[in-house]
Amino acid sequence: MPDMIVNLYGLAPVSPQAQALRDSGVVCRRAESYERSVVLAFVERLFPDWADELRAGFAAVPPNVYIATEAGTLLGFACYNATRPDYFGPTGVEASQRRRGIGRVLLLQCLEALRAQGYAYAIVGGVGPAEFYEKAAGATLIPASEPGIYRDRLNRSEGDGT
Ligand SMILES: CC(C)(COP(=O)(O)OP(=O)(O)OC[C@H]1O[C@@H](n2cnc3c(N)ncnc32)[C@H](O)[C@@H]1OP(=O)(O)O)[C@@H](O)C(=O)NCCC(=O)NCCS
């Protein structure tokens, strides 16, 4: 899985797309510290490999985590500065809610937050759906970026006491 790079100073504002989703009932916003256990349960259920990075995202105050909600129900999440500085991810949208524009808005909100911190570019580490990042943020693949930081990863059974 290669890494991708996004030019942050070339990004268009996310607010019109966020507002369009809001008009359809979906709110994309920064998560609050007091929502950590709900978001963590969602990620542990749907994307268990990413729970540790989510915890890292919630270690910041306010959290480096954005969420999508509809009538109090969590639909998706995205993190930044959770794996390495200037990294976007992980992110995930509940399967039945995909292709509504939620993933794009969460991605762009995180990228805007990175830009506000002074970064000129952001890294998406170990991408799955490269086309999503290309379409949503103009990301491009980084040559020779595989394996990236996700090399030599411990097996999930290590250190769990079994
Ligand atoms: C990747 C993911 C977050 C995208 O969320 P989403 O809400 O479905 O994405 P959006 O609806 O905002 O899509 C934005 C654009 O990307 C396209 N797109 C979305 N998912 C895509 C995919 N898997 N492959 C190719 N294109 C995709 C959409 O068609 C849309 O294109 P458009 O600009 O032409 O309209 C979601 O599919 C997901 O949770 N996947 C499983 C977890 C995952 O792979 N996370 C990323 C790990 S690097």
Side-chain angles (χ1 to χ4, degrees):
M1 295 190 304
D3 297 337
M4 300 185 87
I5 191 162
V6 185
N7 175 336
L8 298 180
Y9 48 84
L11 283 181
V14 65
S15 47
Q17 296 171 79
Q19 186 59 49
L21 270 185
R22 191 179 280 263
D23 292 343
S24 75
V26 177
V27 176
C28 294
R29 60 165 173 82
R30 189 184 290 274
E32 297 287 355
S33 295
Y34 51 75
E35 296 170 314
R36 179 182 183 275
S37 27
V38 176
V39 183
L40 188 55
F42 173 91
V43 172
E44 283 179 332
R45 180 168 55 87
L46 298 178
F47 309 101
D49 281 350
W50 299 338
D52 286 337
E53 287 152 300
L54 179 78
R55 288 184 181 93
F58 269 104
V61 179
N64 294 335
V65 180
Y66 276 80
I67 55 172
T69 74
E70 189 167 34
T73 299
L74 185 55
L75 306 183
F77 79 103
C79 309
Y80 65 94
N81 282 350
T83 314
R84 291 288 178 98
D86 198 23
Y87 269 54
F88 169 82
T91 186
V93 174
E94 200 270 320
S96 68
Q97 303 297 326
R98 291 177 192 166
R99 308 284 176 142
R100 292 180 70 183
I102 294 172
R104 181 200 333 258
V105 168
L106 293 173
L107 166 66
L108 294 175
Q109 287 177 323
C110 289
L111 294 178
E112 283 193 349
L114 284 169
R115 183 171 58 186
Q117 290 188 356
Y119 294 107
Y121 296 88
I123 307 296
V124 186
V127 294
E131 195 182 337
F132 162 69
Y133 292 106
E134 285 166 22
K135 283 183 168 177
T140 52
L141 288 168
I142 300 176
S145 61
E146 193 175 14
I149 59 166
Y150 294 97
R151 65 185 72 194
D152 190 26
R153 185 174 183 152
L154 285 172
N155 297 322
R156 282 182 69 78
S157 61
E158 292 289 336
D160 67 359
T162 60

